[in-house]
Amino acid sequence: MIKRTQLIFAGILLFTACAALKGSENYTFKFEEKLGDVYALAITDGYQYMFTSSKGFALNGKDVGMFEGGFQGLFLYSDFKEALIEYYGIKEDPSVEASYYNLSIYRQWVDMDLFVTTEQSYQGFKRVSPEQQFHHYNPELVVWAANNMIPAPEDMIGDRTAQEVYDNVMQRFFRLMTEMYWYLEQNDPDKQIEEYMVEVNKPKKERWGYGAMNYLTERYDPLFTQYGTSDGTRFTAGMAIGFWMRRSMDGTMDEFWEALKKTMKTYDSEWFKG
């Protein structure tokens, strides 16, 4: 007769093997099928200069290169908002000021405020209260996104699997975000944030170049030349480090990092472990 301990051990081995095959550490995914269509439309109908020239990868019959944009590229310069209108039937909120930078469609989609700011009626990238200087993300939003917006590798984004889209379109963005988190955490983050905020708080005429963005790109981009330099569209190392500094200050760094870890362990585990 097989002993109970042997059965338990065999079960553990089987569970471990299955998790390794999936590459997801037993993560659960609640990804809706139509969200894959939203992603596909956002990618293929977005601002084309956010992508490198395609090297033979096509999504829904359209050539697509590696994404080089950042968060504004994802949520403003792509056709993400238009895709949510098409596939989810979400309408512009008539009570919110019309603007290219208006994010109210996303707020309606997730049914929660995107930012913890003093101007909840706007929910846009550009306007923020003077005492905060930058938007503070709603941590509940980040947790929701980690639970609902990450597809399993075999889920479909248009006519391609999510793994194929990651490898050919989104890999640069996620590796960049990961490397810059590691860099900040390993190099006295408090000191770096303090120096960054000195630049942010200077009178406009005394700021580095045209402001804190120039400070970030000129200080950090040369350390990570594999991600290129700013060209008006490209999301660079300095911009990503600035993102993580602000998340450290608004208290959502842990939530964003957990979401990023889930993505990396699911789609890019060998690189992430290395």
Side-chain angles (χ1 to χ4, degrees):
M1 181 179 292
I2 299 175
K3 294 182 179 180
R4 181 170 180 270
T5 53
Q6 290 175 307
L7 288 172
I8 292 172
F9 182 68
I12 292 171
L13 285 177
L14 179 61
F15 175 84
T16 304
C18 290
L21 285 171
K22 291 180 180 179
S24 61
E25 297 199 353
N26 205 36
Y27 284 126
T28 57
F29 301 91
K30 296 187 292 183
F31 189 76
E32 293 184 343
E33 183 177 344
K34 63 182 176 181
L35 189 52
D37 294 323
V38 168
Y39 286 174
L41 184 60
I43 291 170
T44 57
D45 283 13
Y47 181 56
Q48 65 181 25
Y49 297 107
M50 294 189 296
F51 301 85
T52 61
S53 298
S54 173
K55 295 182 179 179
F57 182 77
L59 175 62
N60 284 353
K62 295 185 177 181
D63 289 338
V64 183
M66 191 66 71
F67 177 68
E68 290 193 316
F71 280 89
Q72 290 197 35
L74 288 172
F75 296 108
L76 289 178
Y77 307 142
S78 73
D79 266 12
F80 205 135
K81 289 195 291 185
E82 290 74 11
L84 288 176
I85 293 171
E86 178 173 339
Y87 287 100
Y88 283 84
I90 298 171
K91 306 296 183 184
E92 291 276 7
D93 185 346
S95 68
V96 176
E97 176 185 338
S99 167
Y100 179 75
Y101 293 96
N102 188 337
L103 301 177
S104 65
I105 284 179
Y106 294 115
R107 182 178 62 178
Q108 293 180 74
W109 178 45
V110 301
D111 193 27
M112 69 180 76
D113 286 326
L114 310 181
F115 306 113
V116 184
T117 70
T118 56
E119 297 197 44
Q120 297 291 359
S121 63
Y122 181 70
Q123 293 291 320
F125 266 116
K126 290 294 185 182
R127 184 181 302 168
V128 67
S129 57
E131 66 271 16
Q132 286 187 325
Q133 298 173 318
F134 59 88
H135 275 304
H136 293 194
Y137 280 88
N138 180 354
E140 293 181 9
L141 168 72
V142 186
V143 173
W144 180 91
N147 290 332
N148 294 277
M149 292 183 68
I150 302 175
E154 64 274 13
D155 285 338
M156 299 304 294
I157 307 295
D159 62 353
R160 293 285 195 160
T161 66
Q163 184 67 62
E164 290 177 304
V165 173
Y166 175 87
D167 292 340
N168 292 279
V169 182
M170 298 307 302
Q171 184 187 84
R172 176 190 183 274
F173 173 79
F174 286 106
R175 286 188 178 184
L176 171 59
M177 292 300 297
T178 301
E179 280 204 75
M180 297 313 104
Y181 174 88
W182 285 336
Y183 177 84
L184 183 62
E185 286 294 281
Q186 295 166 7
N187 290 275
D188 196 349
D190 290 340
K191 182 174 185 293
Q192 292 189 75
I193 291 170
E194 180 181 352
E195 292 170 352
Y196 169 55
M197 291 308 295
V198 166
E199 190 64 35
V200 170
N201 289 319
K202 284 181 179 179
K204 189 172 183 178
K205 63 181 180 180
E206 296 178 14
R207 291 177 189 169
W208 185 302
Y210 292 101
M213 182 68 74
N214 279 38
Y215 165 79
L216 290 170
T217 57
E218 291 185 28
R219 175 171 176 176
Y220 295 107
D221 286 3
L223 303 179
F224 300 93
T225 55
Q226 67 270 36
Y227 293 113
T229 56
S230 178
D231 63 357
T233 299
R234 186 180 295 123
F235 188 61
T236 68
M239 297 174 191
I241 289 175
F243 171 87
W244 285 119
M245 288 179 178
R246 294 187 293 275
R247 300 299 71 79
S248 177
M249 289 184 280
D250 75 11
T252 58
M253 178 179 263
D254 289 345
E255 287 83 359
F256 271 101
W257 176 238
E258 287 303 314
L260 183 57
K261 275 199 303 184
K262 179 178 179 179
T263 302
M264 299 307 292
K265 289 181 177 181
T266 299
Y267 287 93
D268 213 345
S269 59
E270 289 303 313
W271 180 89
F272 188 71
K273 286 188 295 185

